[in-house]
């Protein structure tokens, strides 16, 4: 990586030369709320000394839809479509987390085939979401849309599979309390087989294109570094936490839907910088394909939806269920007072909480580095604001 | 599999450091609000509990009091503990901030402040997060937008489940616009006759 380091040093030298002027005043720059680098309606207010970030403050709420209040007026089943809209790039994972919380509250056992289908779609969603995350991250690093659209081809095929199964591509509303809404259509498994056959070559192509890329190294190596201790103390989760070397994955630590039956590894990074987050996501896609292979080979027969009364009234109590969504630890905390609707509906949003350390990651770097750091955290504004 | 950490064991750890700061009710650990930050710090630093990761922080409006709910997780020992604290003052609810213990509490406490109006003393940057300054009221409180007829917020029954539970609640004013599927209000339907002027 000598060339990349040289490029980096040359860039640092230029920046230092630009910022050593005396008598300069800090400049406040607004990124957003509508700005390509902020991945949605998210506003970042940075204070700059020359090119160096002194302070970064985020302003959110532009997409606040008050879902937690709305959910208190709707039955447990009626709330499932809301969870699609929380994180619209990982609707399946959000459906799943909410249904797990509701099932815990209602004491429902899910049939084995439903569990296998849930794992299948959660992992397909991870492939699609990581394709989006890595593609836009490389975009933020300066690659003008080429890798993004390479990865979008894979995402497109996943969304086609969603469409043939549940009729929707983005807001799927596929999981139900007690299972999934529909059985797999006949054409899904051949399509999935073809997808699993094609993906290793595609990933090898991306790796050949990107992993040794000098510009990507110069832009992402050593940028937005966070230590494992700080990451844990800041409640970071998902690829952002694992890039620091902490092997914390809820699929291993607290298996749900039968994840304990599948063989897969938890990829971790070493340095906790933006490049490691990218590498962790690339490696996670491979692990997801491994899980998908095992799901397809061991798909059980039987019902795909448990016998759940339409008018389900859980006993008074509470439940907190978590899944490993593509962005991290996604939890739903439900409180029941015995009524038909949740008394309290709370979503633990990984996108919001992963931003806890954004300021610490950005300070001391350049403005362009702050944008790369924000891209590497992989936020979805719908989930931040809810 | 993540196990539930025993609330009684956690209570002993806390009470050894600050007597009377913790108690267990129905298997749930309740902390005294005034001792909250110190007690949670003890739970984080103790080698037995090792609750280094703040998984979730939220509040529930129990109408007579606010209940703060914390989910604390140990990554090495793989157990989770639910901790609660009660705030009884509804006019000016306040309790100590956990930002000194967990950096991850910053944004979650701001969210609770924004939507419940609970102040966290010692929070370095306690401002509204989703809503703008000057927004009237705190939406996730149960008495937000008090409806006429003393109708409680929430869903009283499944639509058309039974006559008693059907929407709207008998004897009350409906709290949302009438929907065509809603039961029609009693009384004669007034139909304008042909030729009559409608004002």
């Amino acid at each position: 990586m000598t060339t990349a380091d040289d490029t980096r040093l040359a860039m640092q030298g230029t920046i230092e030369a630009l910022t050593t002027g005396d008598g300069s005043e800090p400049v406040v720059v607004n990124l957003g709320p509508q700005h390509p680098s902020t991945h949605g309606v998210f506003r970042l207010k940075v204070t700059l000394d020359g090119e160096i970030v002194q302070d970064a403050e985020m302003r959110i709420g532009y997409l606040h839809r008050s879902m937690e209040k709305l959910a208190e007026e709707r039955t447990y089943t009626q709330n499932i479509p809301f969870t699609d809209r929380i994180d619209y790039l990982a609707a399946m994972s959000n459906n799943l987390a909410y249904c797990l919380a509701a099932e815990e509250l209602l004491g429902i056992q899910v049939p084995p085939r439903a569990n296998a289908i849930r794992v299948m779609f959660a992992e397909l969603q991870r492939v699609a979401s990581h394709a989006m995350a890595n593609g836009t991250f490389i975009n933020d690093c300066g690659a003008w849309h080429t890798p993004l659209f390479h990865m979008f081809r894979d995402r497109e095929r996943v969304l086609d599979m969603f469409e043939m199964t549940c009729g929707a591509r983005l807001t799927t509303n596929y999981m139900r309390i007690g299972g999934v809404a529909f059985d797999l259509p006949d054409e899904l498994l051949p399509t999935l087989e073809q997808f699993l056959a094609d993906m290793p070559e595609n990933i090898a192509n991306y790796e050949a294109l990107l992993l040794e890329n000098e510009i990507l190294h110069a832009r992402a190596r050593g940028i937005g570094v966070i230590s494992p201790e700080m990451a844990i103390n800041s409640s970071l989760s998902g690829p952002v936490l694992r890039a620091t070397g902490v092997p914390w994955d809820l699929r291993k630590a607290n298996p749900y839907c039968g994840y304990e039956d599948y063989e897969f590894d938890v990829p971790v990074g070493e340095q906790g910088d933006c490049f490691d987050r990218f590498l962790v996501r690339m490696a996670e896609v491979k692990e997801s394909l491994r899980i998908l292979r095992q799901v397809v080979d061991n798909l059980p027969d039987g019902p795909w939806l448990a016998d759940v009364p339409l008018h389900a009234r859980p006993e008074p109590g509470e439940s907190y269920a978590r899944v490993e969504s593509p962005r991290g630890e996604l939890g739903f905390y439900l409180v029941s007072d015995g009524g038909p609707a949740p008394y309290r509906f709370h979503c633990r949003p990984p996108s919001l909480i992963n931003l806890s350390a954004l300021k610490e990651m950005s300070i001391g770097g350049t403005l362009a580095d702050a944008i790369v750091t924000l891209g590497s955290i992989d936020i979805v504004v719908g989930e931040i604001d809810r | 599999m993540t196990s539930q950490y025993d609330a009684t064991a956690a209570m002993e750890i806390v009470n050894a450091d600050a007597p009377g700061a913790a108690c267990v009710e129905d298997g749930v650990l309740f902390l005294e609000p005034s001792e909250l930050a110190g007690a949670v710090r003890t739970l984080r630093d103790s080698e037995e509990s090792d609750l280094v990761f703040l998984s979730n922080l939220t509040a529930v409006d129990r109408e007579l009091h606010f209940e703060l709910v914390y989910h604390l997780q140990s990554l090495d020992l793989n157990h989770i503990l639910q901790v609660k604290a009660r705030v009884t003052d509804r006019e000016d609810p306040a309790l100590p901030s956990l930002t000194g213990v967990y950096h991850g509490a910053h944004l979650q406490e701001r969210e609770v402040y924004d939507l419940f109006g609970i102040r966290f003393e010692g929070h370095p940057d306690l401002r509204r997060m989703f809503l703008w300054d000057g927004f009237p009221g705190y939406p996730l409180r149960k008495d937000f937008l008090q409806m006429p007829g003393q109708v409680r917020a929430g869903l009283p029954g499944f639509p058309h489940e039974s006559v008693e539970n059907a929407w709207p609640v008998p004897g009350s004013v409906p709290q949302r616009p009438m929907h065509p599927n809603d039961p029609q209000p009693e009384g004669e339907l007034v139909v304008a006759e042909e030729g009559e002027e409608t004002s």
Side-chain angles (χ1 to χ4, degrees):
Chain A
M1 295 314 114
T2 351
T3 41
D5 288 346
D6 288 349
T7 321
R8 180 87 211 146
L9 281 174
M11 281 164 67
Q12 288 273 329
T14 322
I15 290 157
E16 273 161 30
L18 282 169
T19 51
T20 41
D22 290 326
S24 59
E25 284 181 7
V27 180
V28 177
V29 176
N30 250 319
L31 299 176
Q34 273 94 25
H35 190 277
S37 72
T38 56
H39 300 239
V41 276
F42 174 87
R43 181 172 151 214
L44 191 65
K45 198 172 139 192
V46 284
T47 311
L48 297 174
D49 176 17
E51 193 68 19
I52 305 297
V53 176
Q54 285 183 328
D55 190 16
E57 185 199 330
M58 59 176 198
R59 293 288 176 92
I60 55 180
Y62 296 94
L63 210 56
H64 181 58
R65 294 153 290 172
S66 190
M67 285 192 176
E68 297 189 357
K69 185 75 176 174
L70 287 169
E72 291 173 8
E73 310 254 340
R74 275 153 188 80
T75 66
Y76 286 89
T77 309
Q78 284 173 338
N79 278 328
I80 299 174
F82 277 145
T83 61
D84 299 333
R85 277 98 182 147
I86 288 179
D87 179 353
Y88 36 78
L89 293 182
M92 289 287 186
S93 312
N94 282 48
N95 282 179
L96 178 57
Y98 171 73
C99 288
L100 287 177
E103 280 155 14
E104 193 183 322
L105 208 53
L106 288 157
I108 289 169
Q109 291 293 319
V110 178
R113 183 174 175 85
N115 268 337
I117 296 175
R118 282 175 168 195
V119 171
M120 181 192 286
F121 280 93
E123 293 307 318
L124 279 173
Q125 185 74 77
R126 192 181 314 279
V127 173
S129 175
H130 281 356
M132 181 88 177
N134 279 340
T136 47
F137 166 68
I138 297 163
N139 232 14
D140 289 340
C141 291
W144 202 243
H145 288 295
T146 307
L148 174 67
F149 278 100
H150 278 126
M151 291 180 178
F152 255 45
R153 292 178 312 185
D154 304 336
R155 180 170 180 267
E156 194 64 21
R157 293 175 68 176
V158 174
L159 297 190
D160 284 345
M161 283 186 255
F162 287 178
E163 190 179 5
M164 69 174 71
T165 307
C166 61
R169 296 165 65 81
L170 211 59
T171 50
T172 51
N173 188 17
Y174 180 49
M175 311 279 175
R176 288 289 182 274
I177 296 169
V180 294
F182 316 104
D183 197 10
L184 301 177
D186 293 340
E187 65 267 35
L188 181 87
L189 285 179
T191 320
L192 183 55
E193 287 284 354
Q194 190 60 43
F195 179 70
L196 291 178
D198 294 348
M199 273 305 277
E201 195 193 334
N202 288 0
I203 293 176
N205 281 342
Y206 305 150
E207 288 180 345
L209 182 69
L210 295 166
L211 290 193
E212 298 295 317
N213 187 302
E214 195 183 316
I215 302 171
L216 186 58
H217 275 265
R219 290 300 309 276
R221 255 298 168 223
I223 303 299
V225 181
I226 188 157
S227 68
E229 296 77 29
M230 182 65 187
I232 291 172
N233 197 250
S234 304
S235 302
L236 306 191
S237 56
V240 185
L241 176 64
R242 288 192 286 275
T244 64
V246 182
W248 180 252
D249 188 321
L250 284 170
R251 292 175 293 169
K252 283 276 186 211
N254 188 20
Y256 49 91
C257 294
Y259 266 111
E260 63 271 25
D261 300 336
Y262 303 111
E263 234 175 75
F264 63 101
D265 297 322
V266 178
V268 292
E270 287 164 5
Q271 306 176 20
D273 58 7
C274 294
F275 197 78
D276 272 356
R277 283 167 220 146
F278 167 70
L279 287 183
V280 165
R281 288 198 183 97
M282 287 291 264
E284 278 188 7
V285 171
K286 287 190 215 166
E287 296 301 322
S288 289
L289 296 174
R290 255 178 88 186
I291 299 175
L292 281 168
R293 182 75 262 161
Q294 296 169 51
V295 176
V296 173
D297 290 344
N298 305 308
L299 194 63
D301 282 328
W304 57 90
L305 188 60
D307 202 7
V308 181
L310 187 61
H311 288 172
R313 279 178 193 265
E315 295 292 308
E318 55 194 42
S319 67
Y320 180 52
R322 299 173 293 169
V323 304
E324 188 69 31
S325 98
R327 265 155 280 284
E329 183 175 324
L330 170 73
F332 276 90
Y333 175 68
L334 299 179
V335 179
S336 161
D337 64 344
Y343 185 77
R344 175 90 174 92
F345 170 103
H346 176 68
C347 169
R348 181 228 193 260
S351 286
L352 172 70
I353 297 169
N354 283 355
L355 287 172
S356 297
L358 176 67
K359 186 173 165 184
E360 285 71 17
M361 288 179 191
S362 311
I363 286 178
T366 63
L367 175 61
D369 291 346
I371 287 168
V372 172
T373 306
L374 182 65
S376 74
I377 295 175
D378 181 22
I379 57 168
V380 169
V381 180
E383 191 178 59
I384 293 175
D385 290 350
R386 280 160 289 141
Chain B
M1 215 54 177
T2 304
S3 57
Q4 296 286 333
Y5 189 61
D6 185 28
T8 320
M11 180 182 78
E12 281 161 12
I13 293 173
V14 172
N15 282 347
D17 207 51
C23 63
V24 175
E25 288 175 29
D26 294 337
V28 179
L29 182 72
F30 278 87
L31 294 179
E32 201 59 43
S34 55
E35 305 281 340
L36 184 73
V40 173
R41 187 184 292 275
T42 313
L43 286 172
R44 184 194 69 177
D45 294 340
S46 157
E47 279 183 16
E48 281 168 53
S49 51
D50 183 47
L51 299 163
V52 292
F53 187 82
L54 173 69
S55 172
N56 183 35
L57 187 167
T58 189
V60 183
D61 183 358
R62 295 282 186 183
E63 310 209 32
L64 294 175
H65 60 267
F66 292 108
E67 196 173 82
L68 270 288
V69 185
Y70 305 88
H71 288 93
L72 312 177
Q73 167 89 38
S74 165
L75 303 190
D76 292 335
L77 305 176
N78 199 2
H79 56 227
I80 189 166
L81 174 70
Q82 190 186 49
V83 177
K84 289 185 175 180
R86 284 198 188 104
V87 189
T88 44
D89 183 5
R90 284 189 73 91
E91 291 304 309
D92 181 24
L95 81 170
S97 165
L98 288 192
T99 45
V101 189
Y102 299 111
H103 189 71
H106 265 92
L107 294 173
Q108 303 191 63
E109 286 186 350
R110 267 184 74 187
E111 183 184 327
V112 171
Y113 170 72
D114 189 1
L115 302 177
F116 283 93
I118 298 171
R119 277 193 305 111
F120 290 91
E121 283 158 354
H123 191 292
D125 186 25
L126 199 62
R127 285 174 298 131
R128 299 202 89 142
M129 190 155 73
F130 299 138
L131 305 169
W132 54 96
D133 293 333
F135 182 87
Y138 301 102
L140 282 184
R141 288 191 184 185
K142 291 286 175 187
D143 56 3
F144 178 69
L145 290 186
Q146 194 72 58
M147 296 297 163
Q150 298 299 309
V151 175
R152 220 194 78 190
L155 193 63
F158 291 105
H160 310 298
E161 188 185 30
S162 67
V163 180
E164 286 78 35
N165 286 334
W167 199 274
V169 177
S172 72
V173 182
Q175 64 187 86
R176 62 171 188 198
M178 273 311 248
H179 187 271
N181 288 343
D182 285 342
Q184 291 298 319
E186 287 177 21
E188 301 252 329
L189 202 61
V190 183
V191 181
E193 291 196 7
E194 211 172 321
E196 192 181 338
E197 272 191 29
T198 49
S199 54

